[in-house]
Amino acid sequence: RKVRPIGWLTGVYLVLSGLGRFLVEFVRINPRLYFGMSNAQVAALGSAVVGLVIMLVAARRRTAPAAAVEVSS
């Protein structure tokens, strides 16, 4: 199993939720404000971009995995 860097999962969530929200907004009837997109679509694209940035930063920082903690009973 591959260990992902800290922040990777947050980035994946933001990208996927932003993409999903962007697509859902095509079905909804909202006023088009920016470049033919609704306000929610612009926010969804922003979320996806922030997620990509977080994933890139996390991949570059690759910290060592946390030390295992032993629990004695």
Side-chain angles (χ1 to χ4, degrees), residues 43-61:
L45 285 179
S47 173
V49 168
V50 168
L52 283 173
V53 169
I54 289 173
M55 290 170 66
L56 290 173
V57 168
R60 286 186 181 177
R61 269 202 288 175

Side-chain angles (χ1 to χ4, degrees), residues 31-52:
R32 305 296 181 201
L33 302 175
Y34 311 105
F35 307 109
M37 296 185 292
S38 69
N39 192 24
Q41 284 177 314
V42 173
L45 285 179
S47 173
V49 168
V50 168
L52 283 173

Side-chain angles (χ1 to χ4, degrees), residues 5-62:
I6 294 173
W8 177 264
L9 186 58
T10 301
V12 170
Y13 170 78
L14 287 172
V15 169
L16 293 178
S17 67
L19 178 63
R21 181 67 181 193
F22 182 79
L23 295 175
V24 164
E25 288 301 320
F26 279 113
V27 177
R28 296 184 68 191
I29 300 172
N30 288 332
R32 305 296 181 201
L33 302 175
Y34 311 105
F35 307 109
M37 296 185 292
S38 69
N39 192 24
Q41 284 177 314
V42 173
L45 285 179
S47 173
V49 168
V50 168
L52 283 173
V53 169
I54 289 173
M55 290 170 66
L56 290 173
V57 168
R60 286 186 181 177
R61 269 202 288 175
R62 279 255 179 212

